[in-house]
Amino acid sequence: MSAVWTYFTISEKNPRMAICKACNKNISRGGSSAKTFSTSGLLYHLKSKHPDSEFDKKATPKRKIHARSPTPAAADVFDMESAHPVVTTGMNEEESKHTDGSMVGWSPICLDDDDPSATQNLEVNIKSEPKMDSQFRIGFIGAGNMAFGIAKGILSGCVLPTNVKVSAPSLRNLGRFQELNITTSHSNTEVVCTSDVIFVAVKPHLVPIVLNEISQHVTDKHTIVSVAAGVTLATLEELLPQGSCVIRLMPNLPCVVLEGALLFARGTNAKQEHGALLCSLLQHCGLVEEGPEAWIDVHTGLSGSGVAFVYLFAEALADGAVKMGMPSALAQRIASQTVLGAGHLLRDSNKHPAQLRSEVCTPGGTTICGLHALEQGGVRASTITAVESATERARELGRKSAAPGSRK
C-alpha cells in the first residue's frame, strides 16, 4: 500500500472516504468498493493543503482503469477521481443481472493496469493539477439557482467572496449573492475582465447574445464554463474567439445544498488540467464527474430534470399517506426523509438498486404488494420515458441554439 496512507484513515461510516489525520477532512478515495481505491486525490490533498508533509513519492499506487456501462464512445474519457482514462468493457452475465434476472449494467469494475508507465503517468497527472489559492478569480454571468448553488460550493473551498463577481440585468436575484459578500454588477464585460474562470449561467436562447457581447474580451487566459442546457461545445466554440478554452457543465438544483450531481465535458482546447481545476473548484458542490459530451444531455434528463421526477414521487408518497389518514405536514416530512435516507443508502452501500429493493421485500409482505401496484401503473416505463423525453428536449434546445448567431 502507498505510503500516502500514513496520513489518512478509512472512514468507518463510509469506506469510500478517507479522513486526513492532519485536518480531519473527508477525502474521496475513489474506487468501486472497499477493496479497490485510487490515491491520487489523497496525494493532491497533501500537496495542496499540507505541502510540508513528507511521504515516499515513489510509492505511488497502480493506475486504475474504471470500466463503466458498455458505451464505446467512452474510450477517451477521464475519471476525475483517479485522473486516468475511463474505458469500457463488456460486463459478464453475473455482474449485469438484476436480482429479478433482467439484464442491466450498473456496478463499475475496477481493473489494475500493470503498465510500468503507470507511476510516471500518475506523477504527471498530480503535477498538472492546479494549486488553488485564495486569489483565484471567479465570474458568473447570470444569477439563477444554478449560479447560486455553484457559488456556494466554490466559497466552501478556499476562494474568497471578494474574488467572486456576478452579473445580471436586474437586482431580482443579486440580493442572495450580496448576502454571501459576493460583488455584483450589471456588466457582463466587467465580469469577464476581472475573472479567470467565467460561468455562463443564462437561459439557452440567451447564450449567443451573451457570448457575442463578451467575445472581444475573452483571451486564452480565460476558461469559459457553460451551464446552459442543450448548448453544444461546437456552438460555444463558434461564438467565442478561436482557441478559447471551453467546458460544458450540467449541474442540478441540489447544488444549492452542496449535494449536487455535476457532469462536464471539455472542449477542443480545454486540457486535462482545466478539468482538474474545475473539479477542484466544484468539489464541495457534490458529485463531480467528467464524460463525453454525448452524455451531457442524458445527464440533463437523468439528474437535471430527474430531481423534479423525485419530487413528484415524494409528493405522491405523501399524498398516499394523507389519503390513508396521516396529517399532510407529517406525511411530507416523512416522505422527504424517506427519499433522503434511500438516496444515502443507495450511494453509500455500493449495491444495485434492485438488490436494495429486494432486501425490503418479504414474501407476501406490504412492500411487494405496493411494488405490484406501481408496476401495474407503469411507473418503471413512465420513468424511463420521462428521462428519454427530457434528454430529447435538451438535444432540441441544442439544435435551436446552434442556428442563430453562430460565426463560421
Side-chain angles (χ1 to χ4, degrees), residues 102-137:
S102 59
M103 301 296 292
V104 65
W106 178 271
S107 299
I109 311 165
C110 194
L111 304 175
D112 282 338
D113 182 3
D114 293 323
D115 185 349
S117 65
T119 300
Q120 179 182 356
N121 290 340
L122 179 60
E123 290 173 350
V124 170
N125 286 327
I126 292 172
K127 290 177 182 177
S128 69
E129 289 180 337
K131 182 177 180 180
M132 291 297 301
D133 61 61
S134 60
Q135 299 305 313
F136 202 78
R137 303 175 303 170

mmCIF file of all heavy atoms in Angstrom, residues 102-137:
data_model
loop_
_atom_site.group_PDB
_atom_site.id
_atom_site.type_symbol
_atom_site.label_atom_id
_atom_site.label_comp_id
_atom_site.label_asym_id
_atom_site.label_seq_id
_atom_site.Cartn_x
_atom_site.Cartn_y
_atom_site.Cartn_z
ATOM 1 N N SER A 102 -33.339 -9.650 -14.872
ATOM 2 C CA SER A 102 -33.214 -8.802 -16.056
ATOM 3 C C SER A 102 -31.789 -8.291 -16.177
ATOM 4 O O SER A 102 -31.083 -8.138 -15.198
ATOM 5 C CB SER A 102 -34.194 -7.631 -15.967
ATOM 6 O OG SER A 102 -33.946 -6.861 -14.814
ATOM 7 N N MET A 103 -31.386 -8.019 -17.425
ATOM 8 C CA MET A 103 -30.005 -7.627 -17.674
ATOM 9 C C MET A 103 -29.847 -6.124 -17.574
ATOM 10 O O MET A 103 -30.634 -5.368 -18.107
ATOM 11 C CB MET A 103 -29.581 -8.073 -19.087
ATOM 12 C CG MET A 103 -29.692 -9.576 -19.308
ATOM 13 S SD MET A 103 -28.597 -10.526 -18.253
ATOM 14 C CE MET A 103 -27.027 -10.067 -18.924
ATOM 15 N N VAL A 104 -28.816 -5.688 -16.880
ATOM 16 C CA VAL A 104 -28.515 -4.262 -16.795
ATOM 17 C C VAL A 104 -27.068 -4.087 -16.371
ATOM 18 O O VAL A 104 -26.547 -4.885 -15.607
ATOM 19 C CB VAL A 104 -29.450 -3.551 -15.793
ATOM 20 C CG1 VAL A 104 -29.222 -4.034 -14.383
ATOM 21 C CG2 VAL A 104 -29.277 -2.038 -15.853
ATOM 22 N N GLY A 105 -26.382 -3.054 -16.878
ATOM 23 C CA GLY A 105 -25.032 -2.748 -16.445
ATOM 24 C C GLY A 105 -25.084 -1.677 -15.368
ATOM 25 O O GLY A 105 -25.616 -0.607 -15.595
ATOM 26 N N TRP A 106 -24.520 -1.919 -14.175
ATOM 27 C CA TRP A 106 -24.594 -0.928 -13.107
ATOM 28 C C TRP A 106 -23.268 -0.777 -12.402
ATOM 29 O O TRP A 106 -22.634 0.239 -12.463
ATOM 30 C CB TRP A 106 -25.688 -1.309 -12.108
ATOM 31 C CG TRP A 106 -25.801 -0.371 -10.956
ATOM 32 C CD1 TRP A 106 -25.137 -0.436 -9.782
ATOM 33 C CD2 TRP A 106 -26.601 0.800 -10.884
ATOM 34 N NE1 TRP A 106 -25.489 0.619 -8.979
ATOM 35 C CE2 TRP A 106 -26.381 1.382 -9.615
ATOM 36 C CE3 TRP A 106 -27.486 1.425 -11.762
ATOM 37 C CZ2 TRP A 106 -27.019 2.536 -9.209
ATOM 38 C CZ3 TRP A 106 -28.114 2.575 -11.349
ATOM 39 C CH2 TRP A 106 -27.884 3.123 -10.094
ATOM 40 N N SER A 107 -22.860 -1.844 -11.701
ATOM 41 C CA SER A 107 -21.678 -1.707 -10.840
ATOM 42 C C SER A 107 -20.422 -1.499 -11.661
ATOM 43 O O SER A 107 -20.161 -2.246 -12.594
ATOM 44 C CB SER A 107 -21.508 -2.959 -9.972
ATOM 45 O OG SER A 107 -22.629 -3.123 -9.151
ATOM 46 N N PRO A 108 -19.612 -0.476 -11.346
ATOM 47 C CA PRO A 108 -18.349 -0.280 -12.058
ATOM 48 C C PRO A 108 -17.352 -1.369 -11.715
ATOM 49 O O PRO A 108 -17.335 -1.873 -10.605
ATOM 50 C CB PRO A 108 -17.874 1.088 -11.567
ATOM 51 C CG PRO A 108 -18.538 1.281 -10.239
ATOM 52 C CD PRO A 108 -19.832 0.547 -10.314
ATOM 53 N N ILE A 109 -16.539 -1.739 -12.683
ATOM 54 C CA ILE A 109 -15.493 -2.736 -12.468
ATOM 55 C C ILE A 109 -14.168 -2.003 -12.386
ATOM 56 O O ILE A 109 -13.929 -1.086 -13.159
ATOM 57 C CB ILE A 109 -15.439 -3.724 -13.649
ATOM 58 C CG1 ILE A 109 -16.850 -4.243 -13.960
ATOM 59 C CG2 ILE A 109 -14.488 -4.864 -13.378
ATOM 60 C CD1 ILE A 109 -16.941 -4.908 -15.303
ATOM 61 N N CYS A 110 -13.302 -2.370 -11.477
ATOM 62 C CA CYS A 110 -12.013 -1.682 -11.337
ATOM 63 C C CYS A 110 -10.902 -2.666 -11.646
ATOM 64 O O CYS A 110 -10.768 -3.690 -10.994
ATOM 65 C CB CYS A 110 -11.857 -1.129 -9.927
ATOM 66 S SG CYS A 110 -10.514 0.043 -9.785
ATOM 67 N N LEU A 111 -10.143 -2.359 -12.679
ATOM 68 C CA LEU A 111 -9.090 -3.259 -13.123
ATOM 69 C C LEU A 111 -7.730 -2.633 -12.878
ATOM 70 O O LEU A 111 -7.523 -1.457 -13.125
ATOM 71 C CB LEU A 111 -9.248 -3.535 -14.622
ATOM 72 C CG LEU A 111 -10.609 -4.091 -15.073
ATOM 73 C CD1 LEU A 111 -10.628 -4.189 -16.583
ATOM 74 C CD2 LEU A 111 -10.870 -5.444 -14.444
ATOM 75 N N ASP A 112 -6.771 -3.405 -12.400
ATOM 76 C CA ASP A 112 -5.409 -2.923 -12.211
ATOM 77 C C ASP A 112 -4.669 -2.986 -13.542
ATOM 78 O O ASP A 112 -4.767 -3.957 -14.278
ATOM 79 C CB ASP A 112 -4.665 -3.773 -11.183
ATOM 80 C CG ASP A 112 -5.068 -3.416 -9.773
ATOM 81 O OD1 ASP A 112 -5.566 -2.297 -9.556
ATOM 82 O OD2 ASP A 112 -4.890 -4.271 -8.905
ATOM 83 N N ASP A 113 -3.906 -1.957 -13.838
ATOM 84 C CA ASP A 113 -3.098 -1.916 -15.047
ATOM 85 C C ASP A 113 -1.635 -1.993 -14.624
ATOM 86 O O ASP A 113 -1.139 -1.130 -13.930
ATOM 87 C CB ASP A 113 -3.375 -0.612 -15.791
ATOM 88 C CG ASP A 113 -2.589 -0.536 -17.088
ATOM 89 O OD1 ASP A 113 -1.893 -1.502 -17.428
ATOM 90 O OD2 ASP A 113 -2.704 0.504 -17.747
ATOM 91 N N ASP A 114 -0.942 -3.045 -15.000
ATOM 92 C CA ASP A 114 0.443 -3.259 -14.584
ATOM 93 C C ASP A 114 1.443 -2.593 -15.522
ATOM 94 O O ASP A 114 2.630 -2.904 -15.497
ATOM 95 C CB ASP A 114 0.735 -4.761 -14.501
ATOM 96 C CG ASP A 114 -0.060 -5.405 -13.374
ATOM 97 O OD1 ASP A 114 -0.226 -4.746 -12.331
ATOM 98 O OD2 ASP A 114 -0.509 -6.543 -13.553
ATOM 99 N N ASP A 115 0.955 -1.700 -16.358
ATOM 100 C CA ASP A 115 1.841 -0.957 -17.250
ATOM 101 C C ASP A 115 2.916 -0.240 -16.432
ATOM 102 O O ASP A 115 2.600 0.514 -15.518
ATOM 103 C CB ASP A 115 1.001 0.065 -18.017
ATOM 104 C CG ASP A 115 1.803 0.818 -19.065
ATOM 105 O OD1 ASP A 115 3.044 0.704 -19.045
ATOM 106 O OD2 ASP A 115 1.180 1.501 -19.891
ATOM 107 N N PRO A 116 4.215 -0.453 -16.714
ATOM 108 C CA PRO A 116 5.275 0.191 -15.932
ATOM 109 C C PRO A 116 5.240 1.710 -16.000
ATOM 110 O O PRO A 116 5.835 2.383 -15.176
ATOM 111 C CB PRO A 116 6.567 -0.350 -16.572
ATOM 112 C CG PRO A 116 6.155 -0.822 -17.936
ATOM 113 C CD PRO A 116 4.764 -1.313 -17.785
ATOM 114 N N SER A 117 4.536 2.272 -16.989
ATOM 115 C CA SER A 117 4.457 3.730 -17.081
ATOM 116 C C SER A 117 3.377 4.302 -16.186
ATOM 117 O O SER A 117 3.189 5.516 -16.152
ATOM 118 C CB SER A 117 4.164 4.151 -18.530
ATOM 119 O OG SER A 117 2.880 3.692 -18.925
ATOM 120 N N ALA A 118 2.656 3.431 -15.450
ATOM 121 C CA ALA A 118 1.543 3.905 -14.633
ATOM 122 C C ALA A 118 1.997 4.914 -13.600
ATOM 123 O O ALA A 118 1.361 5.945 -13.394
ATOM 124 C CB ALA A 118 0.851 2.720 -13.945
ATOM 125 N N THR A 119 3.108 4.608 -12.912
ATOM 126 C CA THR A 119 3.604 5.524 -11.885
ATOM 127 C C THR A 119 3.981 6.863 -12.490
ATOM 128 O O THR A 119 3.655 7.918 -11.964
ATOM 129 C CB THR A 119 4.833 4.907 -11.191
ATOM 130 O OG1 THR A 119 4.457 3.681 -10.582
ATOM 131 C CG2 THR A 119 5.372 5.854 -10.133
ATOM 132 N N GLN A 120 4.648 6.821 -13.639
ATOM 133 C CA GLN A 120 5.042 8.055 -14.296
ATOM 134 C C GLN A 120 3.815 8.868 -14.688
ATOM 135 O O GLN A 120 3.763 10.083 -14.504
ATOM 136 C CB GLN A 120 5.880 7.738 -15.528
ATOM 137 C CG GLN A 120 6.327 9.000 -16.296
ATOM 138 C CD GLN A 120 7.120 8.656 -17.532
ATOM 139 O OE1 GLN A 120 7.397 7.485 -17.787
ATOM 140 N NE2 GLN A 120 7.475 9.660 -18.303
ATOM 141 N N ASN A 121 2.798 8.197 -15.238
ATOM 142 C CA ASN A 121 1.581 8.889 -15.639
ATOM 143 C C ASN A 121 0.907 9.540 -14.453
ATOM 144 O O ASN A 121 0.388 10.649 -14.546
ATOM 145 C CB ASN A 121 0.602 7.912 -16.301
ATOM 146 C CG ASN A 121 1.097 7.462 -17.663
ATOM 147 O OD1 ASN A 121 1.942 8.117 -18.261
ATOM 148 N ND2 ASN A 121 0.565 6.347 -18.141
ATOM 149 N N LEU A 122 0.882 8.828 -13.313
ATOM 150 C CA LEU A 122 0.245 9.373 -12.117
ATOM 151 C C LEU A 122 0.974 10.627 -11.658
ATOM 152 O O LEU A 122 0.356 11.626 -11.300
ATOM 153 C CB LEU A 122 0.235 8.335 -10.997
ATOM 154 C CG LEU A 122 -0.388 8.812 -9.679
ATOM 155 C CD1 LEU A 122 -1.840 9.217 -9.884
ATOM 156 C CD2 LEU A 122 -0.277 7.732 -8.618
ATOM 157 N N GLU A 123 2.324 10.593 -11.675
ATOM 158 C CA GLU A 123 3.092 11.755 -11.242
ATOM 159 C C GLU A 123 2.803 12.947 -12.140
ATOM 160 O O GLU A 123 2.672 14.079 -11.680
ATOM 161 C CB GLU A 123 4.577 11.419 -11.247
ATOM 162 C CG GLU A 123 4.973 10.425 -10.145
ATOM 163 C CD GLU A 123 6.416 9.983 -10.266
ATOM 164 O OE1 GLU A 123 7.043 10.293 -11.307
ATOM 165 O OE2 GLU A 123 6.920 9.337 -9.343
ATOM 166 N N VAL A 124 2.675 12.713 -13.462
ATOM 167 C CA VAL A 124 2.365 13.798 -14.390
ATOM 168 C C VAL A 124 1.010 14.390 -14.070
ATOM 169 O O VAL A 124 0.813 15.597 -14.047
ATOM 170 C CB VAL A 124 2.416 13.294 -15.843
ATOM 171 C CG1 VAL A 124 1.854 14.351 -16.786
ATOM 172 C CG2 VAL A 124 3.843 12.953 -16.231
ATOM 173 N N ASN A 125 0.012 13.508 -13.802
ATOM 174 C CA ASN A 125 -1.325 13.981 -13.502
ATOM 175 C C ASN A 125 -1.354 14.819 -12.233
ATOM 176 O O ASN A 125 -2.044 15.834 -12.155
ATOM 177 C CB ASN A 125 -2.289 12.796 -13.354
ATOM 178 C CG ASN A 125 -2.632 12.180 -14.691
ATOM 179 O OD1 ASN A 125 -2.695 12.874 -15.696
ATOM 180 N ND2 ASN A 125 -2.837 10.868 -14.700
ATOM 181 N N ILE A 126 -0.613 14.392 -11.209
ATOM 182 C CA ILE A 126 -0.596 15.132 -9.955
ATOM 183 C C ILE A 126 0.046 16.500 -10.165
ATOM 184 O O ILE A 126 -0.451 17.510 -9.682
ATOM 185 C CB ILE A 126 0.165 14.337 -8.879
ATOM 186 C CG1 ILE A 126 -0.624 13.082 -8.513
ATOM 187 C CG2 ILE A 126 0.394 15.188 -7.637
ATOM 188 C CD1 ILE A 126 0.130 12.141 -7.612
ATOM 189 N N LYS A 127 1.127 16.549 -10.921
ATOM 190 C CA LYS A 127 1.797 17.818 -11.163
ATOM 191 C C LYS A 127 0.910 18.763 -11.956
ATOM 192 O O LYS A 127 0.995 19.975 -11.810
ATOM 193 C CB LYS A 127 3.107 17.580 -11.915
ATOM 194 C CG LYS A 127 4.178 16.900 -11.067
ATOM 195 C CD LYS A 127 5.415 16.636 -11.882
ATOM 196 C CE LYS A 127 6.475 15.911 -11.065
ATOM 197 N NZ LYS A 127 7.664 15.578 -11.872
ATOM 198 N N SER A 128 0.038 18.204 -12.841
ATOM 199 C CA SER A 128 -0.780 19.058 -13.689
ATOM 200 C C SER A 128 -1.991 19.608 -12.968
ATOM 201 O O SER A 128 -2.619 20.527 -13.445
ATOM 202 C CB SER A 128 -1.256 18.269 -14.920
ATOM 203 O OG SER A 128 -2.192 17.269 -14.539
ATOM 204 N N GLU A 129 -2.349 19.038 -11.803
ATOM 205 C CA GLU A 129 -3.492 19.547 -11.070
ATOM 206 C C GLU A 129 -3.147 20.908 -10.484
ATOM 207 O O GLU A 129 -2.115 21.090 -9.839
ATOM 208 C CB GLU A 129 -3.896 18.573 -9.955
ATOM 209 C CG GLU A 129 -4.519 17.301 -10.497
ATOM 210 C CD GLU A 129 -4.911 16.355 -9.385
ATOM 211 O OE1 GLU A 129 -4.333 16.454 -8.284
ATOM 212 O OE2 GLU A 129 -5.791 15.533 -9.620
ATOM 213 N N PRO A 130 -4.016 21.919 -10.705
ATOM 214 C CA PRO A 130 -3.677 23.267 -10.293
ATOM 215 C C PRO A 130 -3.719 23.436 -8.791
ATOM 216 O O PRO A 130 -4.494 22.799 -8.099
ATOM 217 C CB PRO A 130 -4.778 24.115 -10.961
ATOM 218 C CG PRO A 130 -5.936 23.173 -11.061
ATOM 219 C CD PRO A 130 -5.340 21.819 -11.299
ATOM 220 N N LYS A 131 -2.882 24.319 -8.293
ATOM 221 C CA LYS A 131 -2.910 24.648 -6.874
ATOM 222 C C LYS A 131 -3.878 25.796 -6.665
ATOM 223 O O LYS A 131 -3.653 26.905 -7.130
ATOM 224 C CB LYS A 131 -1.510 25.028 -6.388
ATOM 225 C CG LYS A 131 -1.466 25.349 -4.893
ATOM 226 C CD LYS A 131 -0.059 25.651 -4.453
ATOM 227 C CE LYS A 131 -0.009 25.963 -2.961
ATOM 228 N NZ LYS A 131 1.355 26.257 -2.501
ATOM 229 N N MET A 132 -4.969 25.551 -5.981
ATOM 230 C CA MET A 132 -5.957 26.581 -5.736
ATOM 231 C C MET A 132 -5.440 27.547 -4.679
ATOM 232 O O MET A 132 -4.818 27.147 -3.710
ATOM 233 C CB MET A 132 -7.265 25.945 -5.255
ATOM 234 C CG MET A 132 -7.983 25.144 -6.320
ATOM 235 S SD MET A 132 -8.480 26.168 -7.697
ATOM 236 C CE MET A 132 -9.518 27.347 -6.836
ATOM 237 N N ASP A 133 -5.667 28.850 -4.895
ATOM 238 C CA ASP A 133 -5.303 29.827 -3.885
ATOM 239 C C ASP A 133 -6.451 30.810 -3.711
ATOM 240 O O ASP A 133 -7.373 30.863 -4.511
ATOM 241 C CB ASP A 133 -4.007 30.545 -4.239
ATOM 242 C CG ASP A 133 -4.104 31.311 -5.546
ATOM 243 O OD1 ASP A 133 -4.942 32.227 -5.633
ATOM 244 O OD2 ASP A 133 -3.339 30.986 -6.474
ATOM 245 N N SER A 134 -6.354 31.587 -2.633
ATOM 246 C CA SER A 134 -7.453 32.465 -2.263
ATOM 247 C C SER A 134 -7.630 33.625 -3.227
ATOM 248 O O SER A 134 -8.629 34.328 -3.169
ATOM 249 C CB SER A 134 -7.229 32.999 -0.838
ATOM 250 O OG SER A 134 -6.008 33.716 -0.779
ATOM 251 N N GLN A 135 -6.648 33.874 -4.121
ATOM 252 C CA GLN A 135 -6.735 34.994 -5.045
ATOM 253 C C GLN A 135 -7.309 34.596 -6.410
ATOM 254 O O GLN A 135 -7.371 35.431 -7.311
ATOM 255 C CB GLN A 135 -5.338 35.612 -5.234
ATOM 256 C CG GLN A 135 -4.736 36.150 -3.943
ATOM 257 C CD GLN A 135 -5.648 37.155 -3.255
ATOM 258 O OE1 GLN A 135 -6.169 38.067 -3.889
ATOM 259 N NE2 GLN A 135 -5.851 36.973 -1.965
ATOM 260 N N PHE A 136 -7.710 33.354 -6.553
ATOM 261 C CA PHE A 136 -8.274 32.904 -7.821
ATOM 262 C C PHE A 136 -9.598 33.622 -8.061
ATOM 263 O O PHE A 136 -10.425 33.732 -7.163
ATOM 264 C CB PHE A 136 -8.477 31.390 -7.791
ATOM 265 C CG PHE A 136 -8.549 30.783 -9.156
ATOM 266 C CD1 PHE A 136 -7.387 30.570 -9.884
ATOM 267 C CD2 PHE A 136 -9.760 30.440 -9.719
ATOM 268 C CE1 PHE A 136 -7.445 30.020 -11.152
ATOM 269 C CE2 PHE A 136 -9.820 29.892 -10.985
ATOM 270 C CZ PHE A 136 -8.657 29.680 -11.708
ATOM 271 N N ARG A 137 -9.824 34.113 -9.284
ATOM 272 C CA ARG A 137 -10.976 34.963 -9.574
ATOM 273 C C ARG A 137 -12.028 34.214 -10.381
ATOM 274 O O ARG A 137 -11.722 33.630 -11.426
ATOM 275 C CB ARG A 137 -10.519 36.217 -10.317
ATOM 276 C CG ARG A 137 -9.465 37.044 -9.569
ATOM 277 C CD ARG A 137 -8.971 38.200 -10.414
ATOM 278 N NE ARG A 137 -8.424 37.729 -11.688
ATOM 279 C CZ ARG A 137 -8.100 38.544 -12.697
ATOM 280 N NH1 ARG A 137 -8.256 39.846 -12.564
ATOM 281 N NH2 ARG A 137 -7.605 38.050 -13.818
#
